[in-house]
Short mmCIF file of all heavy atoms in Angstrom, two decimals:
data_model
loop_
_atom_site.label_atom_id
_atom_site.label_comp_id
_atom_site.label_asym_id
_atom_site.label_seq_id
_atom_site.Cartn_x
_atom_site.Cartn_y
_atom_site.Cartn_z
N LEU A 1 -184.09 47.60 66.95
CA LEU A 1 -183.82 49.00 66.79
C LEU A 1 -185.15 49.78 67.13
O LEU A 1 -185.06 50.80 67.95
CB LEU A 1 -183.41 49.35 65.44
CG LEU A 1 -181.96 48.93 64.97
CD1 LEU A 1 -181.74 49.30 63.54
CD2 LEU A 1 -180.97 49.50 65.91
N PHE A 2 -186.25 49.33 66.67
CA PHE A 2 -187.60 50.06 66.88
C PHE A 2 -187.79 49.98 68.46
O PHE A 2 -188.37 50.89 68.98
CB PHE A 2 -188.68 49.30 66.16
CG PHE A 2 -189.94 50.04 66.14
CD1 PHE A 2 -190.02 51.29 65.51
CD2 PHE A 2 -191.03 49.51 66.86
CE1 PHE A 2 -191.29 51.96 65.55
CE2 PHE A 2 -192.23 50.22 66.82
CZ PHE A 2 -192.34 51.46 66.20
N TYR A 3 -187.56 48.82 69.10
CA TYR A 3 -187.84 48.71 70.51
C TYR A 3 -186.92 49.66 71.31
O TYR A 3 -187.42 50.29 72.20
CB TYR A 3 -187.54 47.22 71.00
CG TYR A 3 -187.65 47.06 72.51
CD1 TYR A 3 -188.91 47.08 73.08
CD2 TYR A 3 -186.51 47.07 73.21
CE1 TYR A 3 -188.95 46.87 74.45
CE2 TYR A 3 -186.60 46.86 74.60
CZ TYR A 3 -187.82 46.79 75.21
OH TYR A 3 -187.97 46.65 76.56
N LYS A 4 -185.63 49.84 70.89
CA LYS A 4 -184.81 50.69 71.66
C LYS A 4 -185.29 52.28 71.45
O LYS A 4 -185.08 53.03 72.37
CB LYS A 4 -183.37 50.60 71.08
CG LYS A 4 -182.70 49.33 71.45
CD LYS A 4 -181.34 49.17 70.87
CE LYS A 4 -180.61 47.91 71.12
NZ LYS A 4 -179.38 47.67 70.54
N LEU A 5 -185.90 52.47 70.29
CA LEU A 5 -186.29 53.85 70.06
C LEU A 5 -187.64 54.20 70.62
O LEU A 5 -187.79 55.31 71.17
CB LEU A 5 -186.36 54.11 68.51
CG LEU A 5 -185.03 54.10 67.78
CD1 LEU A 5 -185.34 54.18 66.26
CD2 LEU A 5 -184.22 55.36 68.21
N GLU A 6 -188.54 53.19 70.66
CA GLU A 6 -189.91 53.47 71.02
C GLU A 6 -190.30 53.12 72.46
O GLU A 6 -191.28 53.55 73.07
CB GLU A 6 -190.88 52.82 69.98
CG GLU A 6 -190.72 53.41 68.54
CD GLU A 6 -191.24 54.75 68.48
OE1 GLU A 6 -192.15 55.22 69.27
OE2 GLU A 6 -190.82 55.54 67.58
N SER A 7 -189.56 52.15 73.09
CA SER A 7 -189.95 51.53 74.33
C SER A 7 -190.00 52.54 75.40
O SER A 7 -190.72 52.40 76.43
CB SER A 7 -189.12 50.37 74.62
OG SER A 7 -187.71 50.83 74.82
N LYS A 8 -189.14 53.62 75.31
CA LYS A 8 -189.22 54.62 76.36
C LYS A 8 -190.47 55.45 76.38
O LYS A 8 -190.85 56.09 77.35
CB LYS A 8 -188.01 55.64 76.14
CG LYS A 8 -186.57 54.91 76.32
CD LYS A 8 -185.56 55.91 76.16
CE LYS A 8 -184.14 55.23 76.33
NZ LYS A 8 -183.05 56.16 76.17
N PHE A 9 -191.20 55.54 75.29
CA PHE A 9 -192.46 56.31 75.15
C PHE A 9 -193.70 55.47 75.31
O PHE A 9 -194.74 56.12 75.72
CB PHE A 9 -192.43 57.00 73.76
CG PHE A 9 -191.10 57.82 73.54
CD1 PHE A 9 -190.14 57.30 72.77
CD2 PHE A 9 -190.84 59.03 74.18
CE1 PHE A 9 -189.01 58.03 72.44
CE2 PHE A 9 -189.73 59.79 74.04
CZ PHE A 9 -188.71 59.17 73.07
N LYS A 10 -193.71 54.28 74.96
CA LYS A 10 -194.89 53.52 75.13
C LYS A 10 -194.56 51.99 75.40
O LYS A 10 -193.45 51.50 75.05
CB LYS A 10 -195.80 53.58 73.96
CG LYS A 10 -195.10 53.14 72.61
CD LYS A 10 -196.10 53.35 71.46
CE LYS A 10 -195.35 52.82 70.08
NZ LYS A 10 -196.27 53.16 68.95
N GLN A 11 -195.45 51.31 76.09
CA GLN A 11 -195.16 49.92 76.43
C GLN A 11 -195.10 49.02 75.12
O GLN A 11 -196.03 49.08 74.35
CB GLN A 11 -196.27 49.36 77.38
CG GLN A 11 -195.93 47.97 77.85
CD GLN A 11 -196.91 47.56 78.92
OE1 GLN A 11 -197.82 48.24 79.14
NE2 GLN A 11 -196.64 46.44 79.52
N MET A 12 -194.05 48.36 74.99
CA MET A 12 -193.82 47.46 73.73
C MET A 12 -193.28 46.09 74.15
O MET A 12 -192.49 45.97 75.15
CB MET A 12 -192.91 48.04 72.74
CG MET A 12 -193.38 49.35 72.11
SD MET A 12 -192.18 49.98 71.00
CE MET A 12 -192.12 48.62 69.79
N PRO A 13 -193.62 45.05 73.44
CA PRO A 13 -193.00 43.67 73.73
C PRO A 13 -191.51 43.73 73.46
O PRO A 13 -191.11 44.30 72.47
CB PRO A 13 -193.78 42.66 72.83
CG PRO A 13 -194.27 43.61 71.72
CD PRO A 13 -194.66 44.95 72.40
N ASN A 14 -190.64 43.16 74.25
CA ASN A 14 -189.24 43.16 74.12
C ASN A 14 -188.79 41.97 73.23
O ASN A 14 -188.85 40.81 73.68
CB ASN A 14 -188.62 43.16 75.52
CG ASN A 14 -187.08 43.29 75.42
OD1 ASN A 14 -186.56 43.42 74.44
ND2 ASN A 14 -186.47 43.37 76.69
N PRO A 15 -188.19 42.24 72.09
CA PRO A 15 -187.67 41.10 71.25
C PRO A 15 -186.51 40.42 71.77
O PRO A 15 -186.13 39.35 71.33
CB PRO A 15 -187.44 41.71 69.93
CG PRO A 15 -187.23 43.25 70.22
CD PRO A 15 -188.06 43.56 71.39
N ASN A 16 -185.78 41.10 72.80
CA ASN A 16 -184.62 40.53 73.41
C ASN A 16 -184.92 39.17 74.17
O ASN A 16 -184.13 38.33 74.39
CB ASN A 16 -183.91 41.53 74.40
CG ASN A 16 -183.21 42.49 73.72
OD1 ASN A 16 -182.11 42.17 73.04
ND2 ASN A 16 -183.60 43.74 73.70
N THR A 17 -186.11 38.99 74.55
CA THR A 17 -186.51 37.85 75.35
C THR A 17 -186.82 36.59 74.50
O THR A 17 -187.05 35.52 75.15
CB THR A 17 -187.93 38.19 76.13
OG1 THR A 17 -188.96 38.45 75.16
CG2 THR A 17 -187.67 39.34 77.06
N LEU A 18 -186.76 36.75 73.16
CA LEU A 18 -187.05 35.58 72.43
C LEU A 18 -186.00 34.47 72.38
O LEU A 18 -186.29 33.30 72.26
CB LEU A 18 -187.25 36.00 70.91
CG LEU A 18 -188.50 36.89 70.63
CD1 LEU A 18 -188.69 37.18 69.15
CD2 LEU A 18 -189.73 36.40 71.27
N ILE A 19 -184.76 34.86 72.60
CA ILE A 19 -183.66 33.92 72.58
C ILE A 19 -182.92 33.90 73.93
O ILE A 19 -182.47 34.92 74.37
CB ILE A 19 -182.67 34.21 71.48
CG1 ILE A 19 -183.32 34.40 70.08
CG2 ILE A 19 -181.51 33.27 71.48
CD1 ILE A 19 -182.34 34.66 68.92
N GLN A 20 -182.88 32.72 74.60
CA GLN A 20 -182.17 32.52 75.75
C GLN A 20 -180.95 31.67 75.50
O GLN A 20 -180.89 30.94 74.53
CB GLN A 20 -183.10 31.88 76.85
CG GLN A 20 -184.41 32.58 77.07
CD GLN A 20 -184.22 33.98 77.76
OE1 GLN A 20 -183.28 34.05 78.54
NE2 GLN A 20 -185.05 34.85 77.44
N THR A 21 -179.99 31.70 76.44
CA THR A 21 -178.69 31.02 76.32
C THR A 21 -178.36 30.30 77.57
O THR A 21 -178.68 30.68 78.65
CB THR A 21 -177.56 32.00 75.95
OG1 THR A 21 -177.58 33.05 77.01
CG2 THR A 21 -177.79 32.71 74.56
N ALA A 22 -177.61 29.16 77.39
CA ALA A 22 -177.14 28.44 78.50
C ALA A 22 -175.89 27.62 78.17
O ALA A 22 -175.58 27.36 76.87
CB ALA A 22 -178.26 27.49 79.00
N VAL A 23 -175.13 27.20 79.12
CA VAL A 23 -173.94 26.30 78.92
C VAL A 23 -174.11 25.16 79.87
O VAL A 23 -174.48 25.35 81.08
CB VAL A 23 -172.48 27.10 79.31
CG1 VAL A 23 -171.44 26.08 79.05
CG2 VAL A 23 -172.48 28.31 78.36
N TYR A 24 -173.93 23.92 79.37
CA TYR A 24 -174.13 22.69 80.12
C TYR A 24 -172.68 22.07 80.20
O TYR A 24 -172.08 21.79 79.25
CB TYR A 24 -175.07 21.77 79.41
CG TYR A 24 -174.99 20.40 79.93
CD1 TYR A 24 -175.43 20.14 81.40
CD2 TYR A 24 -174.59 19.17 79.16
CE1 TYR A 24 -175.42 18.84 81.78
CE2 TYR A 24 -174.59 17.99 79.79
CZ TYR A 24 -175.05 17.79 81.05
OH TYR A 24 -174.98 16.55 81.59
N PHE A 25 -172.32 21.86 81.53
CA PHE A 25 -171.03 21.23 81.75
C PHE A 25 -171.36 19.79 82.30
O PHE A 25 -171.77 19.56 83.36
CB PHE A 25 -170.28 22.07 82.89
CG PHE A 25 -169.83 23.39 82.48
CD1 PHE A 25 -170.65 24.48 82.64
CD2 PHE A 25 -168.57 23.53 81.94
CE1 PHE A 25 -170.24 25.78 82.27
CE2 PHE A 25 -168.17 24.81 81.35
CZ PHE A 25 -169.07 25.90 81.61
N HIS A 26 -170.87 18.79 81.47
CA HIS A 26 -171.29 17.36 81.68
C HIS A 26 -170.48 16.83 82.81
O HIS A 26 -171.03 15.80 83.42
CB HIS A 26 -171.10 16.67 80.37
CG HIS A 26 -171.67 15.26 80.43
ND1 HIS A 26 -172.99 14.89 80.77
CD2 HIS A 26 -170.99 14.01 80.27
CE1 HIS A 26 -173.07 13.62 80.74
NE2 HIS A 26 -171.89 13.02 80.43
N ARG A 27 -169.35 17.15 83.12
CA ARG A 27 -168.45 16.44 84.05
C ARG A 27 -168.55 17.04 85.55
O ARG A 27 -167.83 16.54 86.32
CB ARG A 27 -167.04 16.45 83.54
CG ARG A 27 -166.89 15.75 82.18
CD ARG A 27 -165.46 15.68 81.74
NE ARG A 27 -164.66 14.85 82.63
CZ ARG A 27 -163.31 14.59 82.33
NH1 ARG A 27 -162.81 14.96 81.23
NH2 ARG A 27 -162.66 13.79 83.18
N HIS A 28 -169.44 18.06 85.75
CA HIS A 28 -169.43 18.65 87.11
C HIS A 28 -170.86 18.91 87.51
O HIS A 28 -171.84 19.04 86.59
CB HIS A 28 -168.66 19.84 87.09
CG HIS A 28 -167.31 19.72 86.77
ND1 HIS A 28 -166.27 19.21 87.68
CD2 HIS A 28 -166.55 19.92 85.69
CE1 HIS A 28 -165.15 19.18 87.11
NE2 HIS A 28 -165.18 19.60 85.91
N ASP A 29 -171.20 18.89 88.77
CA ASP A 29 -172.54 19.26 89.30
C ASP A 29 -172.73 20.71 89.42
O ASP A 29 -171.87 21.52 89.31
CB ASP A 29 -172.85 18.33 90.54
CG ASP A 29 -171.94 18.83 91.64
OD1 ASP A 29 -171.33 19.98 91.62
OD2 ASP A 29 -171.71 18.00 92.58
N GLN A 30 -173.91 21.00 89.79
CA GLN A 30 -174.37 22.48 89.89
C GLN A 30 -173.52 23.21 90.90
O GLN A 30 -173.21 24.39 90.65
CB GLN A 30 -175.91 22.57 90.34
CG GLN A 30 -176.89 22.08 89.19
CD GLN A 30 -176.98 23.09 88.13
OE1 GLN A 30 -176.61 22.81 86.89
NE2 GLN A 30 -177.32 24.38 88.39
N SER A 31 -173.20 22.65 92.09
CA SER A 31 -172.61 23.30 93.04
C SER A 31 -171.13 23.64 92.66
O SER A 31 -170.68 24.76 92.92
CB SER A 31 -172.49 22.34 94.35
OG SER A 31 -171.67 22.99 95.37
N TYR A 32 -170.52 22.61 91.92
CA TYR A 32 -169.10 22.91 91.52
C TYR A 32 -169.07 23.99 90.43
O TYR A 32 -168.23 24.89 90.47
CB TYR A 32 -168.54 21.71 90.88
CG TYR A 32 -167.05 21.80 90.51
CD1 TYR A 32 -166.10 21.29 91.34
CD2 TYR A 32 -166.77 22.40 89.27
CE1 TYR A 32 -164.75 21.43 90.88
CE2 TYR A 32 -165.31 22.50 88.87
CZ TYR A 32 -164.41 22.02 89.87
OH TYR A 32 -163.07 22.18 89.41
N ILE A 33 -170.04 24.07 89.56
CA ILE A 33 -170.15 25.08 88.45
C ILE A 33 -170.26 26.42 89.12
O ILE A 33 -169.68 27.42 88.77
CB ILE A 33 -171.28 24.79 87.51
CG1 ILE A 33 -171.08 23.41 86.85
CG2 ILE A 33 -171.41 25.85 86.47
CD1 ILE A 33 -169.81 23.31 86.07
N LYS A 34 -171.16 26.48 90.06
CA LYS A 34 -171.49 27.86 90.81
C LYS A 34 -170.22 28.37 91.45
O LYS A 34 -169.90 29.51 91.33
CB LYS A 34 -172.64 27.66 91.74
CG LYS A 34 -172.98 28.89 92.43
CD LYS A 34 -174.14 28.77 93.51
CE LYS A 34 -174.43 30.07 94.13
NZ LYS A 34 -175.54 29.88 95.19
N ASN A 35 -169.44 27.42 92.16
CA ASN A 35 -168.22 27.99 92.92
C ASN A 35 -167.17 28.31 91.90
O ASN A 35 -166.39 29.27 92.13
CB ASN A 35 -167.87 26.77 93.84
CG ASN A 35 -168.79 26.59 94.99
OD1 ASN A 35 -169.36 27.55 95.41
ND2 ASN A 35 -168.80 25.40 95.53
N PHE A 36 -167.07 27.49 90.82
CA PHE A 36 -165.95 27.67 89.86
C PHE A 36 -166.17 29.13 89.26
O PHE A 36 -165.11 29.81 89.09
CB PHE A 36 -165.98 26.66 88.72
CG PHE A 36 -164.90 26.88 87.68
CD1 PHE A 36 -163.74 26.23 88.04
CD2 PHE A 36 -165.05 27.56 86.58
CE1 PHE A 36 -162.59 26.30 87.08
CE2 PHE A 36 -164.04 27.65 85.72
CZ PHE A 36 -162.86 27.04 85.89
N PHE A 37 -167.36 29.56 88.87
CA PHE A 37 -167.63 30.89 88.21
C PHE A 37 -167.95 31.98 89.13
O PHE A 37 -168.37 33.10 88.71
CB PHE A 37 -168.54 30.71 87.16
CG PHE A 37 -168.14 29.82 85.93
CD1 PHE A 37 -168.54 28.58 85.80
CD2 PHE A 37 -167.27 30.40 84.95
CE1 PHE A 37 -168.12 27.82 84.67
CE2 PHE A 37 -166.81 29.59 83.92
CZ PHE A 37 -167.24 28.34 83.76
N THR A 38 -167.76 31.83 90.41
CA THR A 38 -168.09 32.90 91.38
C THR A 38 -166.75 33.58 91.79
O THR A 38 -165.90 32.98 92.30
CB THR A 38 -168.83 32.33 92.63
OG1 THR A 38 -170.12 31.76 92.24
CG2 THR A 38 -169.12 33.43 93.55
N ILE A 39 -166.82 34.92 91.67
CA ILE A 39 -165.67 35.73 92.12
C ILE A 39 -166.25 36.87 92.95
O ILE A 39 -167.19 37.56 92.62
CB ILE A 39 -164.93 36.34 90.97
CG1 ILE A 39 -164.14 35.14 90.24
CG2 ILE A 39 -163.90 37.41 91.42
CD1 ILE A 39 -163.31 35.62 89.07
N GLN A 40 -165.69 37.04 94.16
CA GLN A 40 -166.11 38.03 95.10
C GLN A 40 -165.03 39.10 95.21
O GLN A 40 -163.85 38.81 95.27
CB GLN A 40 -166.41 37.42 96.45
CG GLN A 40 -167.48 36.37 96.49
CD GLN A 40 -168.80 36.91 96.19
OE1 GLN A 40 -169.05 38.18 96.35
NE2 GLN A 40 -169.78 36.10 95.69
N SER A 41 -165.47 40.44 95.37
CA SER A 41 -164.56 41.57 95.60
C SER A 41 -165.03 42.17 96.93
O SER A 41 -166.17 42.27 97.30
CB SER A 41 -164.63 42.53 94.39
OG SER A 41 -163.90 43.66 94.81
N THR A 42 -164.01 42.70 97.58
CA THR A 42 -164.37 43.38 98.81
C THR A 42 -164.81 44.85 98.59
O THR A 42 -165.41 45.51 99.47
CB THR A 42 -163.13 43.53 99.75
OG1 THR A 42 -162.02 44.16 98.90
CG2 THR A 42 -162.61 42.18 100.25
#
């Protein structure tokens, strides 16, 4: 909350960067995963 209020006025470290997330799919390789979750619109 403090970061959202104050970061616009002065440089502050971002607490959002402390936690990262990932999903690991054991039965498929990187190429398959990328194609499976890619959707294109015209």
Side-chain angles (χ1 to χ4, degrees):
L1 292 178
F2 189 69
Y3 174 77
K4 291 177 182 178
L5 291 172
E6 297 291 334
S7 61
K8 293 182 180 179
F9 306 103
K10 59 183 178 180
Q11 187 174 5
M12 294 180 63
N14 186 355
N16 281 294
T17 62
L18 297 185
I19 302 180
Q20 302 296 325
T21 55
V23 180
Y24 169 64
F25 295 90
H26 185 59
R27 300 182 65 174
H28 300 281
D29 60 24
Q30 290 287 120
S31 177
Y32 186 98
I33 299 301
K34 181 179 179 180
N35 292 332
F36 184 88
F37 288 104
T38 297
I39 290 180
Q40 299 292 338
S41 172
T42 55

